[in-house]
Amino acid sequence: MTVTDPYACLGTGCEVTFTPNLRQALKSERNVVRFFRNTLQH
Amino acid sequence: MRFLASQCRFALIIASLLLTTNTFAGGYLSNHHKHRLSFPELPYISYVSFPSASGSDPITISAQLRIPKGYEKENIPAVIIMHGSAGVDSRGSLYALALNKAGIATLEVDLWAARGWVGSVTGRPNTVPETVPDAFGALKFLATQPGVNAEKIGLMGFSWGGVITMLAATTPYSDQFGEGLSFASHMANYPVCWAYNVVPGYEFYDLTGAPVLIQSGELDTYQIRVAILLVLYPARLKAYSAIVNTVMPHMHGIGYNQK
């Protein structure tokens, strides 16, 4: 998905492409759960 | 002749019906015996509302509260989830499900509904700081919920919500809107890193000391200053050692975790 966002390209605004990636999403999910387990459940 | 044809058609229909039913039932039964279906236990889900911490005339924010089953009598930690510019989408539920499974309650906030938007790039507030009080409103709400540990409430967000997450980690915002409460940890996904200490209102120093995790894409044009931010301001970051920056390699845009 491509959108034009004024916040992109260091605030000058440009087209931004959203690139879903299941592998990275699952990696991120694991990171997040580990982070909150460590910081909230100790 | 016509009678014979209709008899044959009738016999064919009966035969095919019997065949279908048998196959279906047999298949179902054999599958049922082979693989017992198991569904993950869903958390208790409720839709709640609370006032933003924005002062004398606060707007009412709505959110989805999820309390994992089996933890009802415990004092469990919780995480508040803030969406990106597009509003509530699949990203929030991706993390909510995983956090619930880990025994952590979640509160996924809808920033746009209270402002009359359904979520789009155009029409959102001019600046992120306008929406920071909503995160502290959510914190106050969760802190009063039975079964939630008020001292162990984290904050996470994506893009716009990631910026809220970063700003809520600073003492000026925490003191102004927290009224004695602050977040125990912060997790920001691609939080537009070029803007900090450049745009007024986006100062990222004088931190509360709570751990901060930043995740961004390596080739993302919003996040290019993330390394510079951490190198330029170490002396002013009270919790510098608590900041972890995870870069997703070779990822171009934001939203790598969007379905």
Side-chain angles (χ1 to χ4, degrees), chain B residues 110-217:
Chain B
D110 184 352
L111 299 168
W112 295 164
R115 295 171 171 86
W117 299 313
V118 289
S120 66
V121 170
T122 53
R124 61 192 177 190
N126 290 328
T127 63
V128 178
E130 292 173 44
T131 52
V132 172
D134 300 357
F136 285 96
L139 173 64
K140 282 178 204 167
F141 169 79
L142 262 187
T144 59
Q145 292 307 298
V148 172
N149 188 335
E151 291 177 0
K152 296 200 170 175
I153 297 174
L155 178 64
M156 71 173 288
F158 316 96
S159 191
W160 185 287
V163 183
I164 295 175
T165 304
M166 297 282 278
L167 297 179
T170 65
T171 305
Y173 282 109
S174 187
D175 287 351
Q176 187 180 353
F177 301 116
E179 293 176 13
L181 290 170
S182 64
F183 293 99
S185 54
H186 304 253
M187 194 276 124
N189 276 294
Y190 31 86
V192 196
C193 289
W194 63 265
Y196 303 103
N197 306 317
V198 172
V199 181
Y202 293 72
E203 287 75 24
F204 191 67
Y205 45 78
D206 193 9
L207 304 185
T208 61
V212 179
L213 170 68
I214 303 167
Q215 286 191 139
S216 58

Side-chain angles (χ1 to χ4, degrees), chain A:
Chain A
M1 183 173 72
T2 302
V3 294
T4 304
D5 189 346
Y7 286 91
C9 293
L10 309 184
T12 57
C14 63
E15 277 199 341
V16 188
T17 305
F18 290 82
T19 316
N21 183 314
L22 184 63
R23 197 171 64 83
Q24 294 291 353
L26 294 175
K27 185 182 166 190
S28 162
E29 185 191 62
R30 283 195 299 275
N31 283 346
V32 170
V33 171
R34 194 182 310 126
F35 173 73
F36 281 122
R37 261 194 178 141
N38 290 340
T39 58
L40 300 178
Q41 288 184 322
H42 59 270

Side-chain angles (χ1 to χ4, degrees), chain B residues 90-111:
Chain B
S90 59
R91 288 174 288 182
S93 55
L94 174 79
Y95 294 91
L97 282 168
L99 289 166
N100 293 157
K101 214 183 272 183
I104 299 172
T106 53
L107 182 71
E108 189 175 3
V109 175
D110 184 352
L111 299 168

